[in-house]
Amino acid sequence: DAKARGKNTCSLFEPSMREDFDRELMLRDELRRALTDGDLHVMYQPIVGLGDRRVVGVEALARWNHPRLGSVPPEVFVPVAERAGLIGDLGMSVLRRACAEFAAWAGAPGAYLSVNVSPLQLVDPQFPGQVAAALADAGLHPRRLVLEVTENVLADESEVIGTLTRLRATGVRVAIDDFGTGYASLRYLHRFPADIVKIDRTYVHEIACDPAAMRILGTLWQLFDAVGLTAVAEGIEDEDQATMLIDLGCPLGQGFHLGHPGPLAAILVPSPIR
Ligand code: C2E
Ligand code: MG
Ligand code: MG
Ligand code: MG
Protein backbone atom coordinates (compact mmCIF):
# COMPACT_ATOMS: atom_id res chain seq x y z
CA ASP A 1 0.00 0.00 0.00
CA ALA A 2 0.94 3.70 -0.09
CA LYS A 3 2.56 3.65 3.35
CA ALA A 4 4.84 0.77 2.42
CA ARG A 5 6.05 2.73 -0.59
CA GLY A 6 7.46 5.39 1.69
CA LYS A 7 6.45 8.60 3.34
CA ASN A 8 6.96 10.84 0.34
CA THR A 9 5.06 8.71 -2.11
CA CYS A 10 1.61 10.11 -2.30
CA SER A 11 -0.88 7.77 -3.83
CA LEU A 12 -4.24 9.42 -4.29
CA PHE A 13 -6.06 6.16 -4.69
CA GLU A 14 -5.42 2.79 -3.16
CA PRO A 15 -5.70 0.10 -5.85
CA SER A 16 -9.16 -0.90 -4.63
CA MET A 17 -10.30 2.73 -4.66
CA ARG A 18 -9.05 3.03 -8.21
CA GLU A 19 -11.07 -0.03 -9.16
CA ASP A 20 -14.16 1.34 -7.42
CA PHE A 21 -13.71 4.62 -9.27
CA ASP A 22 -13.35 2.90 -12.64
CA ARG A 23 -16.40 0.80 -11.92
CA GLU A 24 -18.39 3.87 -10.95
CA LEU A 25 -17.50 5.59 -14.24
CA MET A 26 -18.25 2.44 -16.24
CA LEU A 27 -21.64 1.99 -14.57
CA ARG A 28 -22.42 5.68 -15.08
CA ASP A 29 -21.71 5.42 -18.83
CA GLU A 30 -23.65 2.19 -19.16
CA LEU A 31 -26.56 3.62 -17.19
CA ARG A 32 -26.65 6.71 -19.38
CA ARG A 33 -26.81 4.42 -22.40
CA ALA A 34 -29.47 2.24 -20.81
CA LEU A 35 -31.60 5.32 -20.19
CA THR A 36 -31.46 6.46 -23.82
CA ASP A 37 -31.85 2.93 -25.20
CA GLY A 38 -34.72 2.13 -22.84
CA ASP A 39 -32.93 -0.88 -21.30
CA LEU A 40 -34.48 -0.33 -17.89
CA HIS A 41 -37.73 -2.00 -17.07
CA VAL A 42 -40.09 -2.31 -14.15
CA MET A 43 -41.21 -5.26 -12.00
CA TYR A 44 -44.23 -5.14 -9.73
CA GLN A 45 -44.70 -6.67 -6.30
CA PRO A 46 -48.20 -7.03 -4.85
CA ILE A 47 -49.23 -5.31 -1.61
CA VAL A 48 -52.06 -7.30 -0.04
CA GLY A 49 -54.61 -7.22 2.74
CA LEU A 50 -53.20 -9.64 5.33
CA GLY A 51 -56.66 -10.86 6.28
CA ASP A 52 -58.18 -11.54 2.86
CA ARG A 53 -54.99 -11.51 0.71
CA ARG A 54 -56.68 -9.20 -1.74
CA VAL A 55 -54.24 -7.13 -3.85
CA VAL A 56 -54.64 -3.51 -2.75
CA GLY A 57 -51.58 -2.14 -4.51
CA VAL A 58 -48.41 -2.90 -6.45
CA GLU A 59 -44.92 -1.51 -5.89
CA ALA A 60 -42.93 -0.65 -9.01
CA LEU A 61 -39.30 -1.78 -8.71
CA ALA A 62 -36.72 -0.71 -11.29
CA ARG A 63 -34.74 -3.44 -13.04
CA TRP A 64 -31.65 -3.18 -15.21
CA ASN A 65 -30.59 -6.16 -17.27
CA HIS A 66 -27.23 -5.34 -18.76
CA PRO A 67 -26.20 -7.44 -21.79
CA ARG A 68 -22.70 -8.07 -20.37
CA LEU A 69 -22.98 -7.38 -16.63
CA GLY A 70 -26.23 -9.25 -16.18
CA SER A 71 -28.83 -7.99 -13.78
CA VAL A 72 -27.57 -4.97 -11.81
CA PRO A 73 -29.56 -4.49 -8.57
CA PRO A 74 -31.24 -1.12 -7.85
CA GLU A 75 -29.24 -0.92 -4.63
CA VAL A 76 -26.22 -0.48 -6.94
CA PHE A 77 -27.54 1.56 -9.86
CA VAL A 78 -29.85 3.95 -7.99
CA PRO A 79 -26.95 5.42 -5.94
CA VAL A 80 -24.82 5.59 -9.12
CA ALA A 81 -27.63 7.51 -10.83
CA GLU A 82 -27.90 9.84 -7.82
CA ARG A 83 -24.19 10.61 -7.86
CA ALA A 84 -24.16 11.11 -11.64
CA GLY A 85 -27.11 13.48 -11.76
CA LEU A 86 -29.15 10.87 -13.65
CA ILE A 87 -31.72 10.07 -10.97
CA GLY A 88 -34.23 12.62 -12.26
CA ASP A 89 -34.26 10.98 -15.69
CA LEU A 90 -34.21 7.47 -14.25
CA GLY A 91 -36.99 8.22 -11.78
CA MET A 92 -39.22 9.82 -14.41
CA SER A 93 -38.57 6.98 -16.84
CA VAL A 94 -39.67 4.45 -14.19
CA LEU A 95 -42.68 6.56 -13.19
CA ARG A 96 -43.88 7.12 -16.77
CA ARG A 97 -43.48 3.48 -17.71
CA ALA A 98 -45.12 2.23 -14.51
CA CYS A 99 -48.08 4.60 -14.92
CA ALA A 100 -48.62 3.46 -18.52
CA GLU A 101 -48.32 -0.27 -17.72
CA PHE A 102 -50.45 0.03 -14.60
CA ALA A 103 -53.17 1.99 -16.41
CA ALA A 104 -53.39 -0.80 -19.02
CA TRP A 105 -53.61 -3.51 -16.34
CA ALA A 106 -57.09 -4.68 -15.46
CA GLY A 107 -55.90 -7.12 -12.80
CA ALA A 108 -56.97 -5.46 -9.57
CA PRO A 109 -59.49 -2.66 -10.05
CA GLY A 110 -59.05 0.09 -7.49
CA ALA A 111 -55.53 -0.98 -6.55
CA TYR A 112 -52.83 1.66 -6.24
CA LEU A 113 -49.45 1.99 -7.89
CA SER A 114 -46.55 2.70 -5.52
CA VAL A 115 -43.36 4.21 -6.97
CA ASN A 116 -40.07 4.83 -5.17
CA VAL A 117 -38.77 8.38 -5.28
CA SER A 118 -35.23 9.54 -4.51
CA PRO A 119 -34.74 12.49 -2.13
CA LEU A 120 -32.94 14.27 -4.99
CA GLN A 121 -36.08 14.16 -7.14
CA LEU A 122 -38.05 15.85 -4.38
CA VAL A 123 -35.88 18.96 -4.35
CA ASP A 124 -36.40 19.49 -8.10
CA PRO A 125 -39.07 22.20 -8.48
CA GLN A 126 -40.21 20.55 -11.74
CA PHE A 127 -41.07 17.29 -9.99
CA PRO A 128 -44.74 17.90 -9.10
CA GLY A 129 -45.47 19.04 -12.66
CA GLN A 130 -43.71 15.98 -14.11
CA VAL A 131 -45.75 13.68 -11.88
CA ALA A 132 -48.98 15.36 -12.99
CA ALA A 133 -47.95 15.00 -16.65
CA ALA A 134 -47.07 11.30 -16.24
CA LEU A 135 -50.50 10.65 -14.67
CA ALA A 136 -52.35 12.65 -17.32
CA ASP A 137 -50.49 10.94 -20.20
CA ALA A 138 -51.34 7.51 -18.75
CA GLY A 139 -54.93 8.52 -18.00
CA LEU A 140 -54.45 7.60 -14.36
CA HIS A 141 -56.24 9.37 -11.52
CA PRO A 142 -53.82 10.89 -8.95
CA ARG A 143 -55.55 8.85 -6.20
CA ARG A 144 -54.15 5.69 -7.83
CA LEU A 145 -50.54 6.81 -7.26
CA VAL A 146 -48.47 6.50 -4.09
CA LEU A 147 -44.96 7.94 -3.91
CA GLU A 148 -42.57 6.13 -1.55
CA VAL A 149 -40.02 8.29 0.22
CA THR A 150 -37.61 7.34 3.00
CA GLU A 151 -38.14 8.89 6.40
CA ASN A 152 -34.78 10.69 6.33
CA VAL A 153 -35.93 13.12 3.67
CA LEU A 154 -38.82 14.12 5.88
CA ALA A 155 -36.87 14.83 9.05
CA ASP A 156 -36.38 18.54 8.60
CA GLU A 157 -36.39 19.52 4.95
CA SER A 158 -39.19 22.03 4.73
CA GLU A 159 -38.61 22.20 0.95
CA VAL A 160 -39.42 18.52 0.62
CA ILE A 161 -42.39 18.79 2.98
CA GLY A 162 -43.73 21.61 0.79
CA THR A 163 -43.34 19.54 -2.40
CA LEU A 164 -45.09 16.53 -0.88
CA THR A 165 -47.86 18.70 0.53
CA ARG A 166 -48.45 20.16 -2.94
CA LEU A 167 -48.54 16.68 -4.50
CA ARG A 168 -50.96 15.42 -1.84
CA ALA A 169 -53.27 18.34 -2.59
CA THR A 170 -53.64 16.87 -6.11
CA GLY A 171 -54.70 13.49 -4.67
CA VAL A 172 -51.35 11.68 -4.91
CA ARG A 173 -50.56 9.79 -1.70
CA VAL A 174 -47.24 9.47 0.10
CA ALA A 175 -45.72 6.44 1.83
CA ILE A 176 -42.85 6.52 4.34
CA ASP A 177 -40.61 3.66 3.13
CA ASP A 178 -38.34 1.50 5.30
CA PHE A 179 -39.80 2.93 8.50
CA GLY A 180 -37.57 2.31 11.48
CA THR A 181 -34.23 2.39 9.66
CA GLY A 182 -33.66 6.13 9.50
CA TYR A 183 -33.67 9.20 11.66
CA ALA A 184 -37.41 9.68 11.97
CA SER A 185 -38.33 10.75 15.42
CA LEU A 186 -41.73 10.34 16.96
CA ARG A 187 -41.64 14.08 17.42
CA TYR A 188 -41.91 14.52 13.63
CA LEU A 189 -44.30 11.73 12.77
CA HIS A 190 -47.49 13.79 13.00
CA ARG A 191 -45.98 16.45 10.75
CA PHE A 192 -45.08 14.07 7.93
CA PRO A 193 -47.29 14.75 4.92
CA ALA A 194 -47.89 11.00 4.51
CA ASP A 195 -50.73 8.48 4.20
CA ILE A 196 -48.98 5.12 4.44
CA VAL A 197 -46.09 3.82 6.54
CA LYS A 198 -44.04 0.82 5.42
CA ILE A 199 -42.44 -1.07 8.31
CA ASP A 200 -38.96 -2.16 7.28
CA ARG A 201 -38.42 -5.89 6.85
CA THR A 202 -35.72 -5.99 9.56
CA TYR A 203 -38.52 -5.38 12.13
CA VAL A 204 -40.82 -7.86 10.48
CA HIS A 205 -38.11 -10.52 10.68
CA GLU A 206 -37.28 -9.67 14.31
CA ILE A 207 -40.79 -10.25 15.64
CA ALA A 208 -40.50 -13.99 15.04
CA CYS A 209 -37.59 -14.41 17.46
CA ASP A 210 -37.72 -11.38 19.71
CA PRO A 211 -40.76 -10.87 22.01
CA ALA A 212 -39.64 -7.31 22.83
CA ALA A 213 -39.61 -6.39 19.12
CA MET A 214 -43.09 -7.86 18.84
CA ARG A 215 -44.38 -5.81 21.78
CA ILE A 216 -42.91 -2.62 20.30
CA LEU A 217 -44.49 -3.31 16.92
CA GLY A 218 -47.74 -4.11 18.68
CA THR A 219 -47.88 -0.63 20.19
CA LEU A 220 -47.04 1.19 16.96
CA TRP A 221 -50.43 0.62 15.27
CA GLN A 222 -52.16 2.87 17.81
CA LEU A 223 -49.63 5.57 17.08
CA PHE A 224 -50.09 5.21 13.32
CA ASP A 225 -53.87 5.31 13.77
CA ALA A 226 -53.57 8.47 15.82
CA VAL A 227 -51.70 10.27 13.04
CA GLY A 228 -53.78 8.74 10.21
CA LEU A 229 -51.16 6.42 8.71
CA THR A 230 -52.05 3.02 7.20
CA ALA A 231 -49.35 0.42 7.90
CA VAL A 232 -47.80 -2.00 5.40
CA ALA A 233 -45.38 -4.65 6.75
CA GLU A 234 -42.50 -5.23 4.31
CA GLY A 235 -40.51 -8.41 3.68
CA ILE A 236 -43.02 -11.04 4.87
CA GLU A 237 -41.31 -14.33 4.01
CA ASP A 238 -43.50 -16.98 5.63
CA GLU A 239 -46.98 -17.67 6.95
CA ASP A 240 -45.80 -17.46 10.58
CA GLN A 241 -44.80 -13.84 10.09
CA ALA A 242 -48.08 -13.11 8.31
CA THR A 243 -50.08 -14.69 11.16
CA MET A 244 -48.17 -12.79 13.82
CA LEU A 245 -48.69 -9.53 11.97
CA ILE A 246 -52.41 -10.19 11.66
CA ASP A 247 -52.55 -10.90 15.41
CA LEU A 248 -50.72 -7.63 16.03
CA GLY A 249 -53.33 -5.82 13.98
CA CYS A 250 -51.31 -4.94 10.87
CA PRO A 251 -53.73 -4.46 7.95
CA LEU A 252 -51.42 -4.76 4.91
CA GLY A 253 -48.32 -6.66 3.90
CA GLN A 254 -45.78 -7.25 1.17
CA GLY A 255 -43.08 -9.87 0.76
CA PHE A 256 -41.86 -12.95 -1.07
CA HIS A 257 -44.45 -15.07 0.79
CA LEU A 258 -47.25 -12.95 -0.67
CA GLY A 259 -45.77 -12.47 -4.11
CA HIS A 260 -42.38 -11.87 -5.73
CA PRO A 261 -41.69 -8.87 -7.95
CA GLY A 262 -42.62 -9.75 -11.54
CA PRO A 263 -44.59 -8.56 -14.54
CA LEU A 264 -48.06 -7.20 -13.78
CA ALA A 265 -49.66 -10.02 -15.74
CA ALA A 266 -48.12 -12.52 -13.31
CA ILE A 267 -49.88 -11.05 -10.29
CA LEU A 268 -52.55 -13.53 -9.36
CA VAL A 269 -55.75 -11.89 -8.32
CA PRO A 270 -58.45 -14.13 -6.84
CA SER A 271 -61.19 -14.44 -9.48
CA PRO A 272 -64.55 -13.10 -8.41
CA ILE A 273 -67.09 -15.68 -7.27
CA ARG A 274 -69.90 -15.90 -9.82
P1 C2E B 1 -37.73 -0.86 -1.25
O1 C2E B 1 -38.46 0.29 -1.83
O2 C2E B 1 -37.80 -1.02 0.23
O3 C2E B 1 -38.30 -2.14 -2.00
C1 C2E B 1 -38.45 -3.40 -1.43
C2 C2E B 1 -37.27 -4.29 -1.72
O4 C2E B 1 -37.37 -5.47 -0.94
C3 C2E B 1 -37.21 -4.76 -3.17
O5 C2E B 1 -35.85 -4.94 -3.53
C4 C2E B 1 -37.91 -6.11 -3.09
O6 C2E B 1 -37.55 -6.99 -4.14
C5 C2E B 1 -37.39 -6.61 -1.77
N1 C2E B 1 -38.29 -7.59 -1.14
C6 C2E B 1 -39.63 -7.73 -1.31
N2 C2E B 1 -40.12 -8.72 -0.55
C7 C2E B 1 -39.06 -9.23 0.12
C8 C2E B 1 -38.92 -10.33 1.06
O7 C2E B 1 -39.87 -11.00 1.45
N3 C2E B 1 -37.66 -10.55 1.55
C9 C2E B 1 -36.58 -9.82 1.16
N4 C2E B 1 -35.39 -10.13 1.68
N5 C2E B 1 -36.68 -8.80 0.26
C10 C2E B 1 -37.90 -8.51 -0.24
P2 C2E B 1 -35.24 -4.35 -4.87
O8 C2E B 1 -36.23 -4.45 -5.98
O9 C2E B 1 -33.89 -4.96 -5.06
O10 C2E B 1 -35.08 -2.81 -4.54
C11 C2E B 1 -34.21 -2.39 -3.53
C12 C2E B 1 -34.37 -0.91 -3.25
O11 C2E B 1 -33.98 -0.15 -4.39
C13 C2E B 1 -35.83 -0.51 -2.99
O12 C2E B 1 -36.17 -0.81 -1.65
C14 C2E B 1 -35.77 0.96 -3.28
O13 C2E B 1 -35.26 1.67 -2.18
C15 C2E B 1 -34.75 1.02 -4.42
N6 C2E B 1 -35.46 1.15 -5.71
C16 C2E B 1 -36.00 0.19 -6.51
N7 C2E B 1 -36.57 0.73 -7.61
C17 C2E B 1 -36.41 2.08 -7.50
C18 C2E B 1 -36.79 3.21 -8.32
O14 C2E B 1 -37.44 3.09 -9.37
N8 C2E B 1 -36.40 4.45 -7.87
C19 C2E B 1 -35.72 4.62 -6.69
N9 C2E B 1 -35.37 5.87 -6.32
N10 C2E B 1 -35.36 3.60 -5.90
C20 C2E B 1 -35.70 2.34 -6.30
MG1 MG C 1 -40.22 1.03 -1.66
MG1 MG D 1 -39.13 -0.53 1.59
MG1 MG E 1 -36.02 -1.40 1.61
Side-chain angles (χ1 to χ4, degrees), residues 59 116 148 177 198 234:
E59 178 174 4
N116 293 286
E148 298 195 3
D177 205 356
K198 302 188 76 173
E234 292 191 282

Side-chain angles (χ1 to χ4, degrees), residues 75 177-178 200-201 234:
E75 258 132 11
D177 205 356
D178 306 336
D200 193 70
R201 67 166 177 265
E234 292 191 282

Side-chain angles (χ1 to χ4, degrees), residues 1-5 9-22:
D1 70 333
K3 227 182 228 158
R5 266 177 262 131
T9 320
C10 175
S11 153
L12 190 53
F13 293 112
E14 297 292 319
S16 72
M17 286 175 76
R18 175 84 236 177
E19 280 163 33
D20 288 352
F21 187 66
D22 288 347

Side-chain angles (χ1 to χ4, degrees), residues 160-211:
V160 167
I161 303 229
T163 303
L164 292 175
T165 304
R166 218 171 319 133
L167 279 160
R168 282 179 85 220
T170 71
V172 171
R173 282 173 294 164
V174 172
I176 304 169
D177 205 356
D178 306 336
F179 181 81
T181 60
Y183 307 126
S185 130
L186 298 182
R187 214 150 61 87
Y188 294 124
L189 200 57
H190 69 285
R191 285 204 271 133
F192 287 177
D195 307 273
I196 294 165
V197 59
K198 302 188 76 173
I199 321 279
D200 193 70
R201 67 166 177 265
T202 51
Y203 287 89
V204 171
H205 295 176
E206 251 171 38
I207 58 166
C209 48
D210 183 349

Side-chain angles (χ1 to χ4, degrees), residues 9-216:
T9 320
C10 175
S11 153
L12 190 53
F13 293 112
E14 297 292 319
S16 72
M17 286 175 76
R18 175 84 236 177
E19 280 163 33
D20 288 352
F21 187 66
D22 288 347
R23 186 176 152 78
E24 174 89 9
L25 289 187
M26 182 272 290
L27 284 173
R28 176 187 299 189
D29 287 345
E30 293 296 325
L31 192 55
R32 202 172 271 130
R33 192 191 346 247
L35 278 168
T36 48
D37 294 357
D39 280 351
L40 293 165
H41 63 282
V42 184
M43 295 293 214
Y44 302 86
Q45 186 177 32
I47 298 161
V48 308
L50 285 176
D52 58 11
R53 304 292 154 101
R54 204 191 300 257
V55 176
V56 299
V58 297
E59 178 174 4
L61 295 161
R63 293 289 179 266
W64 181 18
N65 242 312
H66 187 276
R68 187 167 37 85
L69 303 168
S71 137
V72 185
E75 258 132 11
V76 171
F77 70 77
V78 167
V80 170
E82 287 174 337
R83 289 188 291 264
L86 295 170
I87 192 66
D89 286 351
L90 188 149
M92 279 323 292
S93 150
V94 170
L95 180 70
R96 295 190 65 85
R97 184 186 283 243
C99 283
E101 290 178 356
F102 184 73
W105 183 55
Y112 66 82
L113 169 69
S114 215
V115 179
N116 293 286
V117 170
S118 158
L120 295 178
Q121 292 177 268
L122 294 172
V123 294
D124 180 352
Q126 298 192 328
F127 183 67
Q130 291 173 336
V131 171
L135 287 166
D137 290 350
L140 212 56
H141 193 279
R143 278 297 291 181
R144 307 282 305 278
L145 180 66
V146 171
L147 298 176
E148 298 195 3
V149 302
T150 50
E151 56 190 323
N152 293 349
V153 314
L154 295 163
D156 54 12
E157 300 227 22
S158 53
E159 201 183 351
V160 167
I161 303 229
T163 303
L164 292 175
T165 304
R166 218 171 319 133
L167 279 160
R168 282 179 85 220
T170 71
V172 171
R173 282 173 294 164
V174 172
I176 304 169
D177 205 356
D178 306 336
F179 181 81
T181 60
Y183 307 126
S185 130
L186 298 182
R187 214 150 61 87
Y188 294 124
L189 200 57
H190 69 285
R191 285 204 271 133
F192 287 177
D195 307 273
I196 294 165
V197 59
K198 302 188 76 173
I199 321 279
D200 193 70
R201 67 166 177 265
T202 51
Y203 287 89
V204 171
H205 295 176
E206 251 171 38
I207 58 166
C209 48
D210 183 349
M214 180 149 157
R215 280 196 299 274
I216 289 171

